[in-house]
Amino acid sequence: MPLGPDIVERLNRARADLRMGVPVLLCSGGSAALALAAEALDPARFAALSAMGPLTLAITQRRAETLKARAYDGDLARLVVPPDAGPAWVAAVADPADDLRSPMKGPLQSRRDGDPTLARAAISLAKSARLLPAAVLVAAADAPALAAFEGLTLIDWDRAAPALSESAPIHPVVSARVPMEAAEAGRLHVFRPDDGGEEHYAIEIGHPARDKPVLARLHSACFTGDLLGSLKCDCGPQLRAALAQMGAEGAGVLLYLNQEGRGIGLANKMRAYSLQDQGFDTVEANHRLGFEDDERDFRLGAALLKKLGFSAVRLLTNNPAKIRMMEAMGITVTERVPLKVGQSRHNEAYLATKAKKSGHLL
């Protein structure tokens, strides 16, 4: 029986390595490259990579737009790292924190020759690790020997790419009764994905029937709104109002998905907040960081509903994208139940952006 990690487990190792500033070896076809996450650069490791050959900084097309850099590869740009550049230069290009103070980062030279596959792989891994979507790469020879000698994680991207793009199977771990303010008849279900990612939760109110549409909400985790009562968003009020409505009706299920900050993670969400303080709206801030408008995976919600035995929902949401994804994943949405709470002078602009740019029905 094999004891070593499969490709999904290797990807989880790679994410952990990148977060710690350890390089990952990526290979595809006959090419291989060492990749380091831009935000976790260690000066000594950066110097070691520089000694191996010319460095490339891979950034997304969204970040390239902000920097006025050419994205010859469509969804990303491969920037030439100047020979005299160090980690500070990489950080300044990858992180928009000081863009307004120091808007001129260049001149930036984009590579247009060669295969961008490994650069795209490095960005995908950085995103999945909830890091800034930027990575430093250098070509590597004899990847298996180098990985064995240095003890590095080796990822065959031709095998890994499908695994990373698919939604990982998710399994129940435990459930227990939890009396709540919204309803004394409450039960919390914990689910864990196979890929080592964050656990997700289902809060069941009452004893909803499985043979008719259940009042349901897909709620993405929001540390600032749900726990701190932040007034910058409407997440906390939506969470409490959804549970209260389920309690009033006597039955419902709230899916609490650990996809903080529209799927970019709390650290990047706080970076976006800082950019919003500089005058950018939610979508613009995400783009300046290198992310899309919304990086969440709503397939998780459908998977949890199916695990719980539900096939039809009355969905508490203002987001049509959630309805479309539920329907696409085989969950019938019989009714959209509006959830209009939490509006204040602090989040007027935020909600207006959600309506204008993300299609929310407010």
Side-chain angles (χ1 to χ4, degrees), residues 13-258:
R13 282 188 181 181
R15 283 190 284 266
D17 288 347
L18 290 177
R19 290 178 66 87
M20 293 186 294
V22 177
V24 172
L25 260 170
L26 303 170
C27 63
S28 175
S31 301
L34 277 164
L36 268 171
E39 78 165 85
L41 280 184
D42 172 79
R45 285 192 171 109
F46 180 82
L49 257 65
S50 298
M52 295 178 63
L55 300 183
T56 296
L57 175 59
I59 60 174
T60 66
Q61 182 263 344
R62 292 294 191 186
R63 181 66 182 142
E65 282 179 350
T66 295
L67 298 171
K68 303 296 189 290
R70 295 194 178 272
Y72 291 117
D73 302 313
D75 58 335
L76 75 151
R78 291 173 291 141
L79 305 181
V80 175
V81 178
D84 59 346
W89 181 90
V90 172
V93 174
D95 189 340
D98 70 341
D99 278 0
L100 294 188
R101 291 191 301 272
S102 179
M104 296 303 294
K105 308 291 186 185
L108 299 174
Q109 180 184 353
S110 298
R111 300 189 189 278
R112 60 192 310 172
D113 59 325
D115 188 347
T117 298
L118 297 181
R120 184 173 290 115
I123 288 176
S124 297
L125 277 175
K127 273 190 178 185
S128 70
R130 302 292 188 262
L131 299 169
L132 283 170
V136 175
L137 296 99
V138 64
D142 197 355
L146 180 59
F149 181 76
E150 295 285 355
L152 300 176
T153 301
L154 175 62
I155 299 293
D156 179 346
W157 191 246
D158 297 330
R159 294 176 56 214
L164 192 63
S165 64
E166 294 170 358
S167 189
I170 193 163
H171 305 289
V173 178
V174 67
S175 69
R177 187 178 67 87
V178 181
M180 293 174 281
E181 290 182 2
E184 291 188 8
R187 178 168 288 274
L188 175 63
H189 303 260
V190 177
F191 291 85
R192 184 176 296 157
D194 281 352
D195 64 359
E198 298 96 337
E199 292 172 347
H200 304 281
Y201 319 121
I203 298 95
E204 190 173 1
I205 299 297
H207 303 283
R210 268 54 176 177
D211 59 352
K212 62 181 181 180
V214 61
L215 182 64
R217 171 160 177 77
L218 278 64
H219 188 89
S220 297
C222 178
F223 174 81
T224 51
D226 298 343
L227 273 70
L228 304 183
S230 169
L231 301 176
K232 283 180 67 71
C233 64
D234 55 347
C235 301
Q238 284 188 329
L239 172 64
R240 289 180 283 277
L243 288 172
Q245 185 165 341
M246 292 173 189
E249 294 195 13
V253 60
L254 186 140
L255 308 175
Y256 197 88
L257 308 177
N258 274 310

Side-chain angles (χ1 to χ4, degrees), residues 292-313:
E292 295 302 318
D293 303 18
D294 195 333
E295 299 272 354
R296 288 175 292 182
D297 184 358
F298 292 130
R299 294 175 298 180
L300 284 168
L304 292 185
L305 286 167
K306 290 177 181 178
K307 288 287 184 181
L308 290 167
F310 299 107
S311 60
V313 295

